[in-house]
Amino acid sequence: MIDLIFAQTLNGLASASSLFLVACGLSIIFGVTRIVNFAHGSFYMLGAYLAFTLVTRFGPADVFGFWGGVLVAALIVAALGAIVEIVILRRIYQAPELFQLLATFGLVLMVQDIALGIWGPEDKLGPRAPGFKSFVVLMGSRFPTYELFLIVVGPIMLGLLWFLFQKTRWGTLVRAATQDREMVGALGVNQRLLFTSVFAFGAGLAALGGALQLPREAVNLHMDLSMISEAFVVVVVGGLGSVTGAYLAAVLIGIIHAFGILVFPKITLVLVFLVMAVVLVIKPYGLMGERPVGSAHAHGPVEPLLLPASFNIKLIGLAALAVLLLAPFVVADHWLLTLTELSIFALFAASLHFMMGPGGMASFGHAAYFGLGAYGAALAVKWLGMPMLPALAFAPFLAGIAGFVFGWFCVRLSGVYLAMLTLAFAQIAWATAFQWVDVTGGDNGILGIWPAPWASSKLVYYYLALAICVAAILALRVVIFAPFGYALRAGRDSPLRAEAIGLPVMRIQWIAFIIAAFAAGIAGALFAFFKGSVFPTYMAIPRSVDGLLMVLLGGVQTVSGPIVGAFAFMGLQEQLVKATMYWRFVLGASIVLLVILFPRGLVGTALAFAERRREAEPAPPVTAAPELAR
Amino acid sequence: MLEIEGLNAYYGRAHILHGVGFSMGRGEVLALMGRNGAGKSTTMKAVMGLVPPQAGRVIFEGHTIVGREPFEIARLGIGYVPEERRVFSELSVMENLSVAQRPKREGAPHWTPERLFQLFPNLGRMRDRPGGAMSGGEQQMLTIARTLMGNPKLVLLDEPSEGLAPVIVEEMAKTILALKSEGLSVLISEQNLHFAGSVADRATIIEKGLIRFTGTMDELKADEAVRAQYLSV
């Protein structure tokens, strides 16, 4: 038993090293640029792929060939990071942070297709490191020497980074900029250079982490998202901006993984995210983190007022609804499928908007509630033998209950921490569906979830979905403009003052969280019967990002925005998938471009344009950060 | 050395500066006076490029600086000491100073940590103390010392006496006079006429984003109407 514990501890420590490198880069980049870099997992993946190619070319058996390949891979990715910062991020530092996040997710999509194009879909098995091919016997179990090497790499890198940050001018500047980058600029430090170098350095660290994994596991196209969610966990558990915290958290997560496989092989992923949730509830800013100075709220322009639609917009809405009602008489049959899907996603987007816009709680994991709604319907059909309508009614409650539980934790945090916690909970939901094969069918999903016979025609199901979605969206709108909605926005804009006038802010946010989850659950349940099956991917990160894209594309400022966004996004995606095999690349590039061109979303930009035309005054700058305002 | 003309600046939608204009000579201490919210801090931030001005000209030693990045403006020789001090609280005194270190500049005094410790003896006794663990007065000294590390020709001092104990305020006045004797130009924003009178050569008064008065300190002291209208609370 002791030797098993010993072996698993070593395993955990070995896997902690790469995780630490990636998380550390992510943390430094966030500290200085305030950008949550979703593409960090992509740098990790690129590092591994490039190292594979370079090591193979330089000669894997040769000491210089192997280690040279690893180092050159990290340097190339660092240079790529610099290019990304100069070409893309530099243009969006002033944009709201969720838009920045979307842009980096656009990068994720682009890199996925680039990697697919260059290295193909098969896994790449790397060579073993020269000099570290043997085993040692430790306490009775065989242990690869490369694992021991990795265990040593972690603390060495921690020491080097400590030296870099404490003892060099660059490190001092980075620490100063993490605290107050504007002041650093006012003292004559070229921030652009600093930001570019920090981004390149972080990307290089991630790539090094990926390259060092080469002898350990096969390089594949899914490394990016699986790493980024774990790196988020490490950064949040360790405390944003803390290198030592990142190391501690990486070791903690690595060891939990190693022992989880031993004790609860079915719920290792759940375990990791549970630990994160527990840490955040006890220490909301992570093990070594500190409460952020100033408001944790997003930077960028102040949240504009959410106004009821004008008469004209209501007319347009009615006209659009009429078009949707009459569409089946005009368009071809297969269009009905598209329209059904669009209606469902409009509700999904509206539910996320409810939480993000009026609620001010950005969610990186809204797909969880969509997926739970879908699974709720599927499980009700499969295990309880329910017909369609009761199953549709039952399913949102599963999502709502999840919102009840997860929301309780989430509303205790704000800003990026809240968003990352929602991501963690979504990963728990996803991991449960993925690993609990007996109930959910795991990766194979649950098949045969068809509508009742009376609703099985495309036409009837379309009208059913449209009716439910329109009703649900209108209900959300009623809540937004009811006193509850005002209280919610008061809590978002000024929590302290809202508390002072007697509003229980946390409870209001919690209720909003549950409502949003419930509404997403309705959309998910409709989607399950629409597709006839459910899969864990319904709850995966890309689906959550889809939701964010719809809301932000349309704009958070209006109720109609997310609906427009859902139509625009789904339409775009469908056309792209039809048009090219590399649709992810095109979609990613479009996202990046959209964020650069329309930092306020489609509807927001249109509104701003209309307003500008009305005003004779010169346009005020949008760049003044709120913390400057006095 | 500094000429400002028709400066307009906004915070979001709020129009703060409505065409501010004044000028300063080399080696001069000018007090920018006015009540809270009059636009003193915004004027300084606009000069520094921290609040990008929408219209107007700012010329520093022949360079037009409107539209430049703050770090470029700093490198031209303008040092900014913010009202909120903004000391890097997790960095030690020495590290705070090193962040702002710039090469020697023609026509400006050259500062090293050792020279600054002569000016601020307190700081010299706490070189390794984190900025966050210092008193308000010590932080105020550190933030001035930090700005001087850039070897500026002109220092913008935003409300240096605010929130300090009377003894420290006196020390602050001596410091400003010491900087003047080094040949530095200093623009201080100030509400306190007594303090301004003890350090400044001239005063200019701002009210609701417009300059209402410019003259020598003595002229201001003599003009009771102006003082009553724009300065008294």
Side-chain angles (χ1 to χ4, degrees):
Chain A
M1 188 63 204
I2 298 274
D3 49 334
L4 198 61
I5 290 176
F6 179 71
Q8 287 309 99
T9 308
L10 290 186
N11 260 330
L13 285 173
S15 58
S17 289
S18 278
L19 194 53
F20 164 61
L21 289 178
V22 179
C24 187
L26 188 68
S27 186
I28 299 166
I29 289 177
F30 176 82
V32 175
T33 66
R34 299 282 139 183
I35 283 190
V36 179
N37 180 26
F38 238 114
H40 213 65
S42 309
F43 292 139
Y44 166 78
M45 180 172 81
L46 276 181
Y49 269 117
L50 277 172
F52 170 80
T53 301
L54 292 173
V55 167
T56 316
R57 168 140 330 161
F58 295 168
D62 181 46
V63 173
F64 289 104
F66 183 88
W67 299 107
V70 166
L71 277 183
V72 172
L75 290 177
I76 292 177
V77 175
L80 282 176
I83 293 171
V84 163
E85 199 275 343
I86 291 169
V87 175
I88 299 172
L89 298 183
R90 201 171 267 185
R91 289 161 219 283
I92 57 171
Y93 281 128
Q94 303 292 345
E97 56 197 358
L98 279 170
F99 282 90
Q100 299 170 338
L101 184 94
L102 279 190
T104 62
F105 193 79
L107 277 173
V108 170
L109 294 176
M110 290 167 73
V111 172
Q112 274 179 352
D113 267 359
I114 292 171
L116 175 67
I118 297 178
W119 288 284
E122 309 84 23
D123 289 8
K124 303 284 182 200
L125 205 56
R128 280 195 283 159
F132 293 97
K133 291 185 176 170
S134 55
F135 292 88
V136 282
V137 178
L138 286 173
M139 296 190 74
S141 47
R142 273 151 56 99
F143 212 75
T145 45
Y146 190 73
E147 301 276 293
L148 292 180
F149 163 75
L150 281 183
I151 291 176
V152 179
V153 164
I156 289 181
M157 286 305 292
L158 179 63
L160 286 178
L161 288 169
W162 181 86
F163 183 84
L164 181 68
F165 285 113
Q166 299 296 327
K167 299 292 171 197
T168 67
R169 174 166 166 84
W170 186 79
T172 309
L173 290 183
V174 169
R175 282 189 295 140
T178 300
Q179 205 187 331
D180 190 343
R181 51 187 171 155
E182 191 190 55
M183 195 62 224
V184 170
L187 290 171
V189 175
N190 186 342
Q191 279 165 295
R192 285 196 212 143
L193 216 56
L194 187 63
F195 281 32
T196 308
S197 61
V198 163
F199 203 81
F201 183 72
L205 278 185
L208 185 61
L212 286 176
Q213 288 295 75
L214 200 56
R216 262 188 121 214
E217 56 183 336
V219 185
N220 62 67
L221 288 169
H222 305 290
M223 291 172 84
D224 51 353
L225 285 184
S226 70
M227 175 49 87
I228 193 66
S229 46
E230 276 194 27
F232 274 164
V233 171
V234 168
V235 168
V236 168
V237 167
L240 279 172
S242 166
V243 174
T244 319
Y247 183 71
L248 286 181
V251 168
L252 181 69
I253 300 297
I255 286 181
I256 287 169
H257 246 308
F259 281 96
I261 288 173
L262 214 59
V263 188
F264 311 101
K266 296 239 155 144
I267 57 162
T268 48
L269 292 170
V270 176
L271 215 55
V272 167
F273 289 104
L274 269 181
V275 167
M276 164 171 171
V278 169
V279 168
L280 284 189
V281 168
I282 299 168
K283 290 209 71 177
Y285 301 100
L287 294 174
M288 309 279 288
E290 291 187 11
R291 176 180 273 279
V293 187
S295 84
H297 218 270
H299 49 83
V302 186
E303 200 83 45
L305 201 58
L306 187 71
L307 292 172
S310 67
F311 183 69
N312 285 341
I313 299 220
K314 279 184 184 153
L315 270 190
I316 295 175
L318 274 180
L321 188 57
V323 168
L324 287 176
L325 283 173
L326 296 175
F329 302 104
V330 190
V331 299
D333 232 23
H334 67 269
W335 275 97
L336 283 183
L337 293 179
T338 307
L339 286 176
T340 310
E341 201 169 348
L342 284 174
S343 313
I344 293 171
F345 279 104
L347 174 57
F348 176 51
S351 72
L352 177 58
H353 167 262
F354 183 81
M355 206 174 138
M356 280 172 61
M361 299 175 280
S363 171
F364 289 2
H366 206 55
Y369 313 104
F370 182 86
L372 282 168
Y375 269 94
L379 294 174
V381 169
K382 192 170 175 218
W383 294 100
L384 306 175
M386 281 191 196
M388 181 185 78
L389 283 182
L392 272 182
F394 164 82
F397 284 96
L398 189 63
I401 289 168
F404 180 85
V405 177
F406 297 167
W408 187 87
F409 292 96
C410 291
V411 297
R412 262 138 247 274
L413 302 175
S414 64
V416 181
Y417 284 89
L418 183 149
M420 291 203 177
L421 191 58
T422 58
L423 178 84
F425 281 122
Q427 289 298 90
I428 292 181
W430 173 81
T432 310
F434 187 74
Q435 290 187 324
W436 199 7
V437 181
D438 299 340
V439 174
T440 63
D443 210 13
N444 297 324
I446 303 173
L447 308 178
I449 316 301
W450 296 113
W454 61 268
S456 60
S457 84
K458 284 176 194 150
L459 183 72
V460 175
Y461 198 74
Y462 168 62
Y463 278 127
L464 178 73
L466 185 65
I468 294 178
C469 291
V470 169
I473 291 173
L474 286 177
L476 286 176
R477 189 199 172 277
V478 166
V479 177
I480 289 176
F481 292 108
F484 176 82
Y486 298 146
L488 186 61
R489 278 144 70 186
R492 169 195 75 188
D493 292 340
S494 184
L496 283 180
R497 278 176 229 175
E499 291 271 2
I501 58 169
L503 294 173
V505 172
M506 236 184 235
R507 190 188 306 163
I508 290 173
Q509 288 179 331
W510 190 22
I511 294 171
F513 200 108
I514 297 168
I515 294 174
F518 190 87
I522 298 174
L526 284 170
F527 194 68
F529 283 107
F530 171 65
K531 287 286 181 188
S533 49
V534 294
F535 300 101
T537 49
Y538 288 11
M539 298 192 226
I541 295 174
R543 172 65 37 97
S544 291
V545 176
D546 286 354
L548 281 173
L549 271 169
M550 294 172 204
V551 173
L552 296 175
L553 197 60
V556 188
Q557 299 92 338
T558 59
V559 179
S560 55
I563 302 167
V564 175
F567 276 69
F569 173 74
M570 292 304 290
L572 179 71
Q573 193 181 33
E574 195 174 281
Q575 295 310 312
L576 283 178
V577 173
K578 271 188 213 154
T580 162
M581 180 188 149
Y582 293 109
W583 62 274
R584 279 190 199 87
F585 182 87
V586 184
L587 182 66
S590 327
I591 294 170
V592 171
L593 270 181
L594 279 171
V595 172
I596 292 175
L597 295 178
F598 304 110
R600 301 178 64 181
L602 293 179
V603 173
T605 305
L607 283 181
F609 183 70
E611 195 173 328
R612 204 163 294 173
R613 287 184 52 177
R614 245 179 287 136
E615 274 177 20
E617 271 193 335
V622 289
T623 47
E627 71 257 23
L628 275 173
R630 305 184 36 83
Chain B
M1 87 178 318
L2 180 72
E3 272 171 61
I4 303 176
E5 223 179 83
L7 199 59
N8 274 272
Y10 295 77
Y11 275 126
R13 311 227 126 200
H15 193 170
I16 308 287
L17 302 184
H18 298 262
V20 166
F22 58 85
S23 64
M24 287 181 70
R26 181 175 300 274
E28 182 180 40
V29 178
L30 176 69
L32 178 61
M33 306 195 64
R35 299 192 182 100
N36 273 338
K40 302 188 296 292
S41 291
T42 309
T43 303
M44 291 196 167
K45 285 178 183 163
V47 170
M48 207 58 215
L50 294 170
V51 177
Q54 288 306 101
R57 300 201 310 160
V58 180
I59 294 175
F60 176 67
E61 295 207 309
H63 303 276
T64 302
I65 59 175
V66 169
R68 295 202 197 199
E69 297 258 343
F71 83 87
E72 295 172 314
I73 295 171
R75 287 181 180 186
L76 284 173
I78 302 185
Y80 170 61
V81 180
E83 181 184 2
E84 318 87 323
R85 299 179 191 133
R86 294 167 78 165
V87 161
F88 301 119
S89 58
E90 277 157 39
L91 272 58
S92 69
V93 167
M94 286 302 279
E95 286 173 334
N96 264 282
L97 295 181
S98 76
V99 167
Q101 186 166 8
R102 304 289 325 155
K104 203 170 172 167
R105 188 190 307 282
E106 273 306 305
H110 181 63
W111 299 95
T112 59
E114 292 314 315
R115 265 199 79 202
L116 286 166
F117 293 151
Q118 285 167 18
L119 194 62
F120 306 106
N122 270 348
L123 295 182
R125 287 191 284 272
M126 46 178 82
R127 296 172 194 218
D128 295 322
R129 186 173 300 184
M134 300 166 75
S135 74
E138 288 159 358
Q139 285 189 353
Q140 184 68 55
M141 298 301 168
L142 176 58
T143 179
I144 294 176
R146 184 179 65 179
T147 297
L148 290 175
M149 283 297 285
N151 304 320
K153 296 176 180 171
L154 165 67
V155 177
L156 313 178
L157 267 178
D158 199 355
E159 306 242 9
S161 72
E162 197 195 22
L164 296 182
V167 189
I168 316 266
V169 172
E170 226 165 276
E171 214 175 299
M172 182 64 64
K174 279 185 201 148
T175 304
I176 293 170
L177 291 175
L179 297 183
K180 181 180 155 74
S181 71
E182 292 267 352
L184 275 174
S185 314
V186 184
L187 176 66
I188 60 168
S189 78
E190 194 47 67
Q191 297 190 46
N192 182 331
L193 184 64
H194 175 70
F195 180 79
S198 68
V199 295
D201 308 308
R202 288 193 305 136
T204 184
I205 295 180
I206 187 171
E207 166 83 5
K208 291 187 180 154
L210 274 173
I211 298 294
R212 311 286 176 160
F213 169 91
T214 302
T216 64
M217 235 35 242
D218 292 333
E219 282 165 2
L220 177 60
K221 281 176 189 162
D223 195 336
E224 203 159 315
V226 165
R227 287 196 335 251
Q229 194 174 353
Y230 300 121
L231 295 182
S232 57
V233 182

